[in-house]
Amino acid sequence: MELFWYIIIALVLAIFFVLDGYNFGTGIIHLFFAKKEKDKKVVAKAAGLFWDFNEVWLVAGGGMLFMAFPTFYASVFSGFYLPLIIVLWLIVFRAIGLEFRGQFNNKMWTSIWDTSFGISSLLLALFFGIALGNIVRGVNLGGVENSNSLYEAHYFFLPLWDSSFSPLTEHPGVIDWFTIIIGIIAVVTLAIHGATWIRLKTNASINEKLKKAIFNLNIALAVLTIFSLIIWQIVNPNALTNFIERPYLLIFPILYLIGLIGLFFIKKIKKDVHSFILSTLLIIGGITSSLASIFPVILPSTNPVNDSLTIYNTAASNYGLSVAFNWAIVGIILLAIYIIIQRRLLKGKIDKMDYGH
Amino acid sequence: MEDMIFYDRLQFAFTITFHYIFPQLTMGLSLIIVFFKWKFLRTKIQKYNDAALFFMKIFAINFTMGVVTGIPMEFQFGTNWAKFSELTGGIIGQTLAMEGMFSFFLESSFLALFIFGEKLMGQKLHFLTGFLVFLGSWASGWFILATNAWMQHPVGYEILDNGKFVLENFSELFSNPWLIPAFLHNQFASVVTSAFVVASIGAFYILRNKNLEHGKLFLKTGVIFGLVSSLLVAFPTGDWNAKNVAKYQPAAFAAMEGIFETEDAGAEIVLIGQPNMVEKKLDNKIAVPNILSFLTYQDWNKQIAGMDQFKKEELPDNIPALYYSYHIMVGLGTIFIGIMFLAAFFLWKKKLHTIKPLLWSIMFLVPFPYIANITGWYVAELGRQPYLVYGLLKTSEGVSPTVSSGNTLFTLLGFVGLYMLLGLLFLILVGKTIHQGPKPVKH
């Protein structure tokens, strides 16, 4: 049951990053590539049309995490207190940027919200990457000092950063050079994803330019990926043991690689839908590989005093999980029906679509 | 520690108060939109469809605001109330996760279709998507109220040695005796809010002498929905809730009603009075003898426990706030019934749109249903104090052990600033929509 819920939640969150990921990505593209008003409008529309539907995946994923792994939810949310609240603020900023830019036809007005949308998207992508970096790096659970737990075994509190910015000290902050690099990887990945989405859904005049941008960003991503594997070894020498002991987990990094290599052939691939699928693989592969590398741990402990948090020692009761299993099956079927109906009715390029609210 | 609980409570109170402005409108408005769309399908008169599309725009703005202010609510369980989340997540996580799964997905999937799909799907399907949005928004209310009902009157649980609450019986979460009255009371109250909004926009158009045809339709619909719902809020649902509080949270009941001392025979109902916490009595009291006993137990002489019957630790920690919230809610509810009754009378006489003072009152009363709804929530939440889970888990035992009060104060100030900006933009946006009026806008 724990495993089932772990997979479901990972899936919901991965879908959130695929769906809302292209919104973050369009925001980043918007910031750097869309210079003409016409393009800005189309790009903002490519994100604005679906963001509230996409955001719901985060709410649903959070709710399930709360239900299935309450101890994990409690310790992570209070431990990463400051970055999470900042993420909340950014989510609000991005949403109002998207919703409000088109409301008045005034240059100053639109440029304020364009900037708000672009910068908050960029920072959100960065912060989500940093969060992932923190999870694979592990934290000082229980706030251990001189082998004494300051709190209960699973509670901790991370400051935003420590003056050394190093992941190797006893008390690293949320931001250090390792998590920053993972954050940059997330930004690049989501920028690629956003670009493929814009190409898929619009006829913007920057689409040709984006083809080249995807290629260049992909080169940067390949370099960063290799670099991150090296520094990951420094931060956590056991980073790859899970894949050696459980070779079937290699499927996840392979998905990532297919996305990464596939995107190099993007210039030869005509169909926009293919490049969107490839960038989706990048995201899903990246997230699942990171999670698989520490499985069944979900938050490694960097001190020897307290045990790491696993899907087993943080889960709710078996009865609760089984009951929820039953309603979740019904929910998933319903959801699949909604999505099929929705996407069938809203398919195609959005330039001509009536966008009213 | 005291500081920590204070700032955590203040932050939660502030963010949920702001959040609750939006869902109370969307829940009620979705019903009225479905009504307009249904009328259009039956009569094919264009103004009904215009009305549905116009209020859909206002709905969409509110829905957006509800989503962005709702995500912090979910986060705060973990960030500020980590201990509470850890101990009870196995139970209230069920209802919260179901809300995401069953209501948000429904609402958000079909809202996009309802907004963009009229030309794509034809009128009948368009009505259906509107109906599904309504269903989603009410389901959302249902799951939130189920969560709250469990905190007010915990059922179906078992407590382990380590203090964790474990779910023992899933179906009891939804057959909780607290749930149905609280849900119906809340839903009808949200219909009151949206009815006032609809009527108020109608009154505004009539007074400004523009969009007259739509204005009259809005006024009429708002008044009819307003009268029916404000009556239903008072009776049977309000009455039913009060009886539940008397039965399950007698200390809260005494504080709400302002009964400091137990009377030997029959409790009076307090209409006006200010709690004096030093002398433990009500100042400037106007009360009617024996009515409260009758209303609660249908027995004029039944004794009702006053606050003197409870230990200090069992009493709500802010009695005046609870007392005033309750009396503001009840007082406003009574005014709404009166105004809507009067408006309905003149509507029946076909004279309502000529009676200026009444139109002005309807227009300017629009903030008050919001106040009534929010004070209603305060009654429930302050009444439950000093517990998070009534009788079982103290509020002071639920806060995050590792987050300092300084951090909470910092984030509270951040929320205040951000929400002020958000509120301003919201008003501009709704104002613009009302100004544009109900005619479909050309693109």
Side-chain angles (χ1 to χ4, degrees):
Chain A
M1 266 304 138
E2 288 92 349
L3 187 61
F4 168 81
W5 275 104
Y6 176 68
I7 292 170
I8 285 287
I9 292 165
L11 197 68
V12 168
L13 291 178
I15 292 173
F16 165 72
F17 283 111
V18 169
L19 294 178
D20 218 21
Y22 65 65
N23 288 345
F24 301 139
T26 42
I28 299 165
I29 296 292
H30 194 270
L31 196 61
F32 294 115
F33 291 93
K35 298 289 179 222
K36 286 184 238 155
E37 171 59 23
K38 196 177 66 181
D39 288 336
K40 284 184 178 173
K41 216 171 180 168
V42 172
V43 170
K45 205 153 96 170
L49 203 48
F50 303 108
W51 76 265
D52 36 12
F53 176 73
N54 299 340
E55 214 90 306
V56 170
W57 289 85
L58 180 67
V59 181
M64 289 178 195
L65 196 61
F66 187 24
M67 182 276 296
F69 303 104
T71 304
F72 176 72
Y73 189 82
S75 73
V76 164
F77 274 60
S78 61
F80 295 123
Y81 185 80
L82 292 172
L84 277 171
I85 300 277
I86 293 170
V87 161
L88 277 176
W89 294 343
L90 289 171
I91 286 176
V92 175
F93 252 104
R94 193 178 57 118
I96 56 184
L98 276 172
E99 285 292 313
F100 293 157
R101 93 173 287 286
Q103 293 293 338
F104 291 97
N105 212 354
N106 174 301
K107 226 175 176 177
M108 193 173 129
W109 174 270
T110 46
S111 71
I112 288 173
W113 297 121
D114 278 346
T115 318
S116 147
F117 165 54
I119 290 179
S120 48
S121 294
L122 177 75
L123 288 177
L124 272 172
L126 186 69
F127 260 88
F128 280 124
I130 289 173
L132 195 63
N134 271 277
I135 285 177
V136 297
R137 183 201 63 203
V139 299
N140 187 359
L141 279 180
V144 172
E145 231 167 42
N146 308 324
S147 306
N148 290 321
S149 247
L150 300 178
Y151 319 105
E152 284 169 64
H154 50 272
Y155 280 113
F156 64 95
F157 182 83
L158 287 199
L160 276 181
W161 59 74
D162 171 78
S163 56
S164 65
F165 281 104
S166 165
L168 303 169
T169 58
E170 201 186 338
H171 299 290
V174 173
I175 298 168
D176 61 40
W177 52 255
F178 173 70
T179 58
I180 284 273
I181 288 166
I182 306 290
I184 293 170
I185 291 178
V187 171
V188 175
T189 310
L190 292 176
I192 294 173
H193 192 50
T196 62
W197 170 253
I198 295 170
R199 283 179 54 84
L200 179 69
K201 291 305 278 187
T202 74
N203 287 319
S205 61
I206 52 167
N207 279 2
E208 269 312 299
K209 207 163 76 181
L210 286 183
K211 205 174 192 175
K212 195 150 174 281
I214 292 172
F215 189 81
N216 291 337
L217 284 169
N218 207 40
I219 294 175
L221 183 61
V223 175
L224 281 168
T225 304
I226 295 164
F227 183 57
S228 74
L229 284 177
I230 298 167
I231 57 169
W232 196 352
Q233 282 293 320
I234 300 171
V235 173
N236 180 0
N238 300 323
L240 299 176
T241 43
N242 231 356
F243 294 106
I244 298 162
E245 281 166 19
R246 300 183 174 90
Y248 57 89
L249 292 178
L250 283 170
I251 178 83
F252 301 121
I254 288 172
L255 289 179
Y256 182 81
L257 278 180
I258 293 174
L260 189 67
I261 296 168
L263 281 169
F264 281 117
F265 296 95
I266 194 74
K267 282 185 170 166
K268 290 173 199 146
I269 296 175
K270 286 232 173 69
K271 283 245 166 127
D272 294 329
V273 69
H274 290 161
S275 59
F276 183 70
I277 290 170
L278 289 171
S279 62
T280 301
L281 285 182
L282 268 184
I283 294 174
I284 293 184
I287 294 172
T288 51
S289 308
S290 315
L291 295 180
S293 75
I294 54 172
F295 178 84
V297 168
I298 37 183
L299 188 66
S301 171
T302 55
N303 66 62
V305 180
N306 292 320
D307 290 335
S308 299
L309 298 184
T310 69
I311 59 171
Y312 303 107
N313 66 16
T314 61
S317 73
N318 215 32
Y319 170 74
L321 293 181
S322 330
V323 175
F325 174 81
N326 294 325
W327 60 250
I329 296 294
V330 179
I332 290 167
I333 294 168
L334 283 174
L335 181 59
I337 297 170
Y338 306 159
I339 294 175
I340 291 168
I341 297 175
Q342 194 201 36
R343 296 288 139 147
R344 278 189 67 135
L345 283 164
L346 295 177
K347 68 183 173 198
K349 304 267 182 189
I350 56 140
D351 305 58
K352 299 242 148 46
M353 217 173 261
D354 224 14
Y355 177 47
H357 82 278
Chain B
M1 191 67 187
E2 281 289 304
D3 269 13
M4 209 158 104
I5 298 162
F6 175 72
Y7 289 129
D8 279 318
R9 283 184 66 186
L10 195 60
Q11 185 174 113
F12 203 85
F14 172 73
T15 48
I16 203 154
T17 300
F18 193 75
H19 171 65
Y20 194 53
I21 292 172
F22 309 106
Q24 64 170 301
L25 183 76
T26 52
M27 286 188 294
L29 199 55
S30 61
L31 179 70
I32 296 179
I33 291 171
V34 167
F35 165 77
F36 279 132
K37 196 74 206 180
W38 172 76
K39 279 291 264 189
F40 173 65
L41 275 185
R42 277 201 21 188
T43 62
K44 301 284 174 220
I45 297 171
Q46 189 55 35
K47 69 175 177 186
Y48 290 114
N49 203 35
D50 295 346
L53 296 178
F54 172 72
F55 283 109
M56 182 199 78
K57 275 187 212 156
I58 293 184
F59 179 96
I61 300 166
N62 275 273
F63 180 77
T64 299
M65 299 291 288
V67 173
V68 289
T69 57
I71 299 173
M73 303 318 306
E74 186 183 335
F75 270 49
Q76 277 180 67
F77 280 119
T79 51
N80 296 25
W81 301 96
K83 203 66 209 178
F84 168 67
S85 300
E86 186 191 354
L87 297 178
T88 65
I91 296 179
I92 63 170
Q94 294 275 348
T95 42
L96 290 175
M98 288 178 88
E99 189 200 13
M101 194 85 207
F102 291 103
S103 38
F104 282 169
F105 278 129
L106 184 64
E107 210 176 350
S108 65
S109 312
F110 289 99
L111 179 60
L113 287 179
F114 191 65
I115 292 174
F116 301 116
E118 196 192 3
K119 287 179 203 122
L120 296 168
M121 342 184 252
Q123 291 303 336
K124 277 196 183 131
L125 272 178
H126 193 236
F127 168 77
L128 187 67
T129 54
F131 182 76
L132 290 172
V133 171
F134 157 72
L135 208 63
S137 71
W138 280 51
S140 185
W142 170 255
F143 288 117
I144 287 299
L145 265 299
T147 312
N148 192 261
W150 186 82
M151 291 166 71
Q152 300 285 356
H153 179 61
V155 289
Y157 66 91
E158 191 189 355
I159 302 180
L160 302 182
D161 292 341
N162 57 12
K164 280 192 187 174
F165 289 74
V166 180
L167 187 62
E168 209 183 35
N169 189 330
F170 177 72
S171 58
E172 278 186 34
L173 288 182
F174 297 100
S175 56
N176 189 339
W178 194 282
L179 174 57
I180 289 176
F183 173 69
L184 292 177
H185 187 61
N186 184 66
Q187 297 312 103
F188 292 133
S190 75
V191 177
V192 173
T193 299
S194 55
F196 262 95
V197 168
V198 172
S200 167
I201 296 173
F204 171 69
Y205 287 151
I206 293 169
L207 288 169
R208 291 243 355 233
N209 205 14
K210 67 178 234 183
N211 305 324
L212 274 184
E213 197 195 356
H214 291 108
K216 280 180 189 166
L217 173 66
F218 294 175
L219 186 66
K220 183 179 165 192
T221 313
V223 167
I224 293 170
F225 271 87
L227 179 64
V228 174
S229 58
S230 59
L231 284 170
L232 287 170
V233 168
F235 191 85
T237 64
D239 176 57
W240 195 359
N241 269 298
K243 284 176 178 151
N244 257 347
V245 178
K247 187 170 169 192
Y248 298 114
Q249 299 182 350
F253 189 70
M256 263 159 64
E257 299 283 0
I259 315 169
F260 281 93
E261 275 173 46
T262 317
E263 297 289 331
D264 288 339
E268 59 192 12
I269 193 157
V270 175
L271 302 178
I272 291 176
Q274 292 88 46
N276 181 336
M277 295 313 292
V278 181
E279 291 175 37
K280 304 257 183 267
K281 68 176 189 66
L282 284 176
D283 293 338
N284 313 317
K285 183 167 76 174
I286 299 178
V288 190
N290 296 56
I291 297 280
L292 188 62
S293 293
F294 179 75
L295 286 177
T296 317
Y297 296 108
Q298 282 73 50
D299 175 351
W300 297 99
N301 292 312
K302 175 112 180 166
Q303 206 181 51
I304 289 181
M307 284 180 262
D308 55 344
Q309 300 282 319
F310 300 94
K311 284 192 223 122
K312 195 169 174 289
E313 310 86 74
E314 291 169 339
L315 283 172
D317 48 17
N318 196 338
I319 290 162
L322 174 57
Y323 168 88
Y324 284 123
S325 300
Y326 179 67
H327 280 81
I328 290 170
M329 174 186 81
V330 173
L332 286 175
T334 314
I335 292 171
F336 300 154
I337 293 174
I339 281 276
M340 284 302 183
F341 198 78
L342 206 61
F345 173 75
F346 287 113
L347 190 69
W348 179 57
K349 292 272 177 199
K350 299 202 188 309
K351 281 203 293 203
L352 179 58
H353 58 276
T354 58
I355 300 177
K356 290 257 166 84
L358 197 52
L359 293 178
W360 283 104
S361 328
I362 288 173
M363 192 172 106
F364 280 118
L365 268 177
V366 81
F368 290 94
Y370 284 100
I371 294 172
N373 266 284
I374 287 165
T375 48
W377 261 114
Y378 288 175
V379 174
E381 299 297 89
L382 290 167
R384 200 192 55 227
Q385 294 302 327
Y387 297 101
L388 281 172
V389 182
Y390 195 75
L392 298 172
L393 181 69
K394 285 258 168 76
T395 307
S396 55
E397 296 162 344
V399 290
S400 299
T402 57
V403 178
S404 70
S405 57
N407 283 324
T408 316
L409 177 63
F410 164 70
T411 55
L412 171 63
L413 293 174
F415 276 113
V416 170
L418 187 59
Y419 282 7
M420 274 165 63
L421 175 68
L422 215 55
L424 186 69
L425 290 165
F426 170 76
L427 289 177
I428 293 175
L429 225 57
V430 171
K432 181 185 160 224
T433 311
I434 293 172
H435 179 74
Q436 279 174 345
K439 282 286 173 214
V441 183
K442 298 269 184 299
H443 285 271

